[in-house]
Amino acid sequence: MSIPRLLVVDDDPEIRSMLTQFFHQNGFIALPAATEREVQAHLKSGRIDLILLDVMLGDENGVDICARLRREQDVPIIFVSALSADHQRMAGYEVGADDYIAKPFNPQLLLARVRAVMQRARRTPSLAYRRRIRTFRFGGWVYDGKRDEVHAPDGYQVSLSQRETALLKVLLANPHIPLTRDEIAAALDVTGTGDKPEAQGRAIDVLVGRLRSKIETNPKDPQMLRTARGVGYVFACEVTVEQEA
């Protein structure tokens, strides 16, 4: 499985540095951010598994940021704040926070809460491709999430099996991110589209080959669904998303 990627959002550079170093030492990729713009940039550039979000960010408000993120994102969010009154905690939960931790805190307790929230998230349908019905566009292709249809650049509908469609959704949700076979297998298992033993090792390779045969111009020289040597596979294609209103 890949290393979990954590986003630390705080306008205090010392706290950002302390938290990113602490999570690095405990097996995470920890990325710093100080503003909503930086948060959005990280979300667009790569997979984020959890966000630690301060409530007071200079001129910005973490509660408002969380509310805006929840319109499009199901990434787990934990508030870390010196504001600890009950009504302040409730405000955080009401906009969709998964947890709320008051400053000052025990770093080991924070680590335990982060791991607990991430573990819960893995057991719920909060993966990117299950958030809301969407339309994905990639390399001239279109995946219509509402109708569960895939259309080639020439407009013709291409028939995919349920399992091929599930794989495509995983890839569309994680463009340019190398995914291990274990990650793909786990994601397919979460969708409930097949028996667990079928989503392992060689079976993933076979499934990838089937999908390539349907979406690649030359499946023997794939340009979209590429092999990432030493890792697994990567969807090397720009993906745009249209959110269902």
Side-chain angles (χ1 to χ4, degrees):
M1 297 295 288
S2 66
I3 299 173
R5 293 168 60 88
L6 185 76
L7 188 57
V8 177
V9 188
D10 200 298
D11 64 338
D12 187 324
E14 292 186 6
I15 294 178
R16 285 200 310 272
S17 177
M18 181 270 289
L19 287 176
T20 53
Q21 290 180 22
F22 173 73
F23 281 101
H24 280 151
Q25 293 167 358
N26 284 276
F28 290 75
I29 295 173
L31 306 169
T35 65
E36 183 175 6
R37 177 177 294 182
E38 292 178 6
V39 171
Q40 293 290 355
H42 280 297
L43 290 170
K44 291 176 181 177
S45 64
R47 187 190 78 240
I48 297 297
D49 299 308
L50 185 140
I51 298 175
L52 285 178
L53 180 59
D54 191 16
V55 172
M56 303 304 295
L57 293 170
D59 294 333
E60 297 182 313
N61 185 293
V63 174
D64 294 336
I65 293 173
C66 181
R68 286 190 287 271
L69 288 175
R70 277 291 171 257
R71 296 170 190 166
E72 298 182 354
Q73 300 282 343
D74 279 340
V75 59
I77 297 173
I78 297 178
F79 277 120
V80 181
S81 175
L83 304 176
S84 59
D86 286 347
H87 73 278
Q88 291 162 335
R89 291 174 180 268
M90 287 302 300
Y93 288 121
E94 286 172 357
V95 295
D98 295 86
D99 203 347
Y100 195 113
I101 299 173
K103 296 177 181 179
F105 51 81
N106 182 319
Q108 293 299 326
L109 176 60
L110 175 62
L111 177 63
R113 301 272 280 271
V114 165
R115 287 174 171 165
V117 168
M118 292 182 67
Q119 187 174 18
R120 288 200 303 270
R122 293 190 189 103
R123 295 198 299 265
T124 61
S126 61
L127 296 176
Y129 58 87
R130 293 186 119 198
R131 289 175 190 150
R132 294 184 185 179
I133 297 171
R134 302 179 180 203
T135 296
F136 294 84
R137 299 183 184 276
F138 57 101
W141 290 72
V142 178
Y143 170 68
D144 185 333
K146 186 173 184 178
R147 297 179 175 84
D148 209 22
E149 295 177 353
V150 179
H151 295 269
D154 59 12
Y156 283 94
Q157 183 177 345
V158 176
S159 178
L160 299 184
S161 70
Q162 186 180 25
R163 200 151 180 76
E164 290 162 358
T165 301
L167 173 59
L168 180 61
K169 291 178 182 179
V170 174
L171 299 170
L172 293 174
N174 298 279
H176 304 294
I177 299 173
L179 300 173
T180 67
R181 290 170 178 81
D182 285 344
E183 285 180 310
I184 294 172
L188 294 178
D189 184 49
V190 169
T191 66
T193 56
D195 295 331
K196 195 171 183 179
E198 296 177 2
Q200 306 296 327
R202 176 59 182 162
I204 295 298
D205 296 335
V206 171
L207 183 60
V208 165
R210 294 207 307 262
L211 182 58
R212 280 174 170 167
S213 71
K214 296 183 178 182
I215 68 171
E216 295 282 1
T217 302
N218 181 0
K220 293 183 179 180
D221 184 24
Q223 299 302 304
M224 291 191 290
L225 211 180
R226 296 181 178 177
T227 299
R229 291 188 177 181
V231 181
Y233 297 99
V234 60
F235 198 63
C237 187
E238 292 300 323
V239 177
T240 59
V241 182
E242 297 176 7
Q243 186 73 49
E244 180 80 356

